[in-house]
Amino acid sequence: MRKVIAVDGTFLTGKYRGVLLSSVAQDSENHIFPVAFCVVDKECNAAYEYFFEQLSSIHPDSVELCIISDRHISIENGISKFYPQAHHGFCMRHLAENLRKNFHCGYLLHHYYSASKAYRIDEFNDHFQQIKDNDVRVAKYLEEDVGFHKWSRAHFPGNKYVNVNSPVQTSKKVFHTSVKMFQTSLKMYDVLTTNIVESVNSMFLLEREFPITALFDAINRRFAQKFHERRMQFLDTPTICVPSVEKKINKNATFGNKLLVHPIRQQVFSITGHDAVAKVDLHNRTCSCREFDLDKIPCPHAMAAFRVEFGDQYVTSIYDYASDFYYIDTYVNAYVIEINPMPSEECWDVPPELVERKIPPPSCEIQLGRRKTNQIPASGEVKKKQNRCSICKRTGHKRTTCKKRTEGISNSVVA
């Protein structure tokens, strides 16, 4: 998987309530890959510290790791304690809802989304300047209170390649620093939201009413089935990369054929086209558009450079410059481990101290009446219902102002 993990929690609707904490990753086909699940009483510092402590035994702390979440302060405290080297980013969608709710700036969200998805600093500055010109409060909140590196792709740390084989770097300290920067640059930061973990929450909407054992059995069965389906889906695929990446490579290659290439030096080219100039360095696998740097898929500028560097056989060289993460073999190996069902309780080997321990039920107030199963939307999530005309069946107006009705009335008056 890419070294990006999304973390979120969802409420359980059973008798004793509780919260299901989830951490999931995303494969190259944008499928959900489960990492860890945990049930706690509520979302607090103690709960998330326990969750990240257990998660660190699965995936240790690393400068290559990135964790995406909402702005819950307990998540930030847990990450800073157990993952101090990892980068913590905020969900783009959750941050947008905070802006809509606190500053009532829905008209600026398209600039915010464009700025967060921008690859280059200058492109980011253009959109952020639009936000600053319209509302200084929003710009100050995003820049000072949140920080650009928390939500902006262009300001994502560790996106510069360093050539560790350079003969200039003779010092041992400098070499280790360069290796660390090089490893940091291998981050692929094209996961900007926690939508994948939100999808997991919606997958188990009914199962969240079950007891904990039944809930985890349902999670086990669901992902065991998904693992088998994904393992068999691409087992005999003739392509090198997964279909979604092959489609993007073909699209970039088509765009690259329309660009002009000017060699600068060995494996360094200047690409001209579409009223823009880009610089491609094939040795360091970088491009000034930074799409090649972050996504690890050759951009249209890199495709044009391949055409000059490798001639007619450049198509076979494209895959040498794409990340191994996108290969079919990597995808199949990710799902090669089978998820087996939990054995019966008679087969459990439980330590005696746990058998003798008496665990009381959670101390929670059980409310009378029917329990709520649907989440109450926030003020920024409520969408105003549009009127639908009963005559023409279109939205935006009602039957009394419908043009078909007024035309019918005018024709009858003329008659």
Side-chain angles (χ1 to χ4, degrees):
M1 298 297 107
R2 276 165 288 192
K3 299 296 182 68
V4 181
I5 296 178
V7 177
D8 196 12
T10 182
F11 292 100
L12 301 180
T13 57
K15 181 178 180 180
Y16 296 109
R17 308 294 178 177
V19 177
L20 175 66
L21 303 182
S22 309
S23 65
V24 298
Q26 193 173 21
D27 62 23
S28 52
E29 277 290 278
N30 298 325
H31 294 155
I32 298 172
F33 188 90
V35 179
F37 295 93
C38 179
V39 172
V40 295
D41 292 337
K42 59 181 179 180
E43 292 185 277
C44 59
N45 289 339
Y48 273 109
E49 286 180 4
Y50 172 78
F51 178 70
F52 285 115
E53 182 182 6
Q54 303 303 318
L55 184 63
S56 62
S57 62
I58 301 173
H59 196 297
D61 187 21
S62 172
V63 294
E64 299 179 7
L65 182 64
C66 179
I67 300 177
I68 305 294
S69 69
D70 56 17
R71 292 206 67 195
H72 201 292
I73 188 62
S74 297
I75 299 179
E76 191 167 4
N77 294 336
I79 293 175
S80 61
K81 184 175 181 179
F82 292 98
Y83 286 95
Q85 300 182 40
H87 175 72
H88 180 208
F90 292 139
C91 173
M92 174 181 64
R93 186 176 58 84
H94 280 86
L95 195 56
E97 293 301 327
N98 291 344
L99 296 176
R100 189 198 304 271
K101 180 180 178 181
N102 298 331
F103 299 98
H104 307 285
C105 59
Y107 61 97
L108 291 177
L109 291 185
H110 67 285
H111 289 298
Y112 160 76
Y113 281 118
S114 299
S116 61
K117 296 177 183 178
Y119 284 93
R120 302 190 312 274
I121 297 294
D122 56 344
E123 184 182 356
F124 169 86
N125 292 335
D126 292 340
H127 293 288
F128 188 76
Q129 187 63 39
Q130 295 291 332
I131 299 176
K132 185 181 293 186
D133 294 341
N134 286 274
D135 198 327
V136 180
R137 302 173 304 155
V138 177
K140 183 180 179 181
Y141 173 77
L142 292 174
E143 183 177 5
E144 299 179 5
D145 297 346
V146 181
F148 290 155
H149 64 286
K150 291 286 188 178
W151 58 276
S152 168
R153 175 186 279 158
H155 290 84
F156 179 71
N159 48 24
K160 295 181 179 179
Y161 264 85
V162 175
N163 184 11
V164 297
N165 297 322
S166 175
V168 179
Q169 301 168 355
T170 55
S171 172
K172 184 177 181 180
K173 181 178 180 181
V174 173
F175 179 78
H176 284 295
T177 304
S178 303
V179 171
K180 184 176 181 181
M181 293 179 64
F182 180 80
Q183 292 173 344
T184 306
S185 66
L186 295 179
K187 297 177 183 176
M188 287 171 282
Y189 188 58
D190 55 352
V191 181
L192 300 176
T193 71
T194 57
N195 288 340
I196 49 177
V197 70
E198 295 286 353
S199 300
V200 172
N201 298 339
S202 61
M203 284 173 58
F204 303 104
L205 183 63
L206 177 63
E207 287 80 358
R208 290 186 315 201
E209 303 179 18
F210 297 170
I212 294 179
T213 54
L215 170 64
F216 277 97
D217 284 340
I219 294 175
N220 188 33
R221 288 194 303 270
R222 180 70 62 87
F223 282 109
Q225 179 184 359
K226 292 295 182 182
F227 270 47
H228 175 71
E229 293 174 357
R230 296 169 187 173
R231 184 169 56 248
M232 302 303 295
Q233 182 180 5
F234 298 135
L235 198 59
D236 298 325
T237 304
T239 58
I240 298 177
C241 293
V242 294
S244 62
V245 177
E246 289 283 351
K247 184 178 180 180
K248 189 171 183 179
I249 288 177
N250 294 333
K251 181 180 178 181
N252 291 345
T254 303
F255 289 157
N257 292 332
K258 304 175 183 179
L259 302 178
L260 299 177
V261 184
H262 307 280
I264 299 177
R265 61 177 186 272
Q266 186 177 5
Q267 293 192 332
V268 179
F269 303 88
S270 175
I271 314 298
T272 307
H274 304 295
D275 300 329
V277 179
K279 181 181 178 182
V280 177
D281 188 342
L282 296 182
H283 179 66
N284 292 324
R285 304 188 181 189
T286 60
C287 180
S288 58
C289 73
R290 301 188 68 246
E291 183 178 344
F292 189 16
D293 305 22
L294 294 179
D295 291 349
K296 307 306 179 193
I297 300 175
C299 61
H301 307 112
M303 295 292 184
F306 293 156
R307 190 176 69 249
V308 175
E309 179 72 15
F310 301 104
D312 297 335
Q313 304 298 326
Y314 84 98
V315 177
T316 59
S317 304
I318 294 175
Y319 302 100
D320 296 335
Y321 288 85
S323 174
D324 297 347
F325 163 76
Y326 299 110
Y327 290 174
I328 288 286
D329 296 339
T330 306
Y331 182 91
V332 174
N333 289 333
Y335 295 99
V336 72
I337 300 177
E338 299 177 353
I339 301 180
N340 298 313
M342 179 66 67
S344 59
E345 191 172 349
E346 293 78 9
C347 302
W348 293 1
D349 186 13
V350 184
E353 58 272 12
L354 294 181
V355 175
E356 299 173 357
R357 182 180 177 183
K358 295 182 180 180
I359 303 176
S363 56
C364 65
E365 182 179 354
I366 301 177
Q367 300 177 356
L368 300 177
R370 181 178 295 178
R371 300 183 183 90
K372 294 180 180 179
T373 57
N374 296 329
Q375 181 183 4
I376 301 176
S379 57
E381 299 176 347
V382 178
K383 295 183 179 180
K384 186 178 179 181
K385 185 178 180 181
Q386 293 184 340
N387 294 327
R388 181 180 292 274
C389 177
S390 59
I391 297 177
C392 64
K393 307 301 181 183
R394 295 182 178 180
T395 60
H397 64 277
K398 51 187 178 180
R399 66 185 306 274
T400 56
T401 57
C402 182
K403 292 182 179 181
K404 288 188 176 181
R405 182 175 180 273
T406 55
E407 290 175 358
I409 294 176
S410 61
N411 293 334
S412 62
V413 171
V414 172

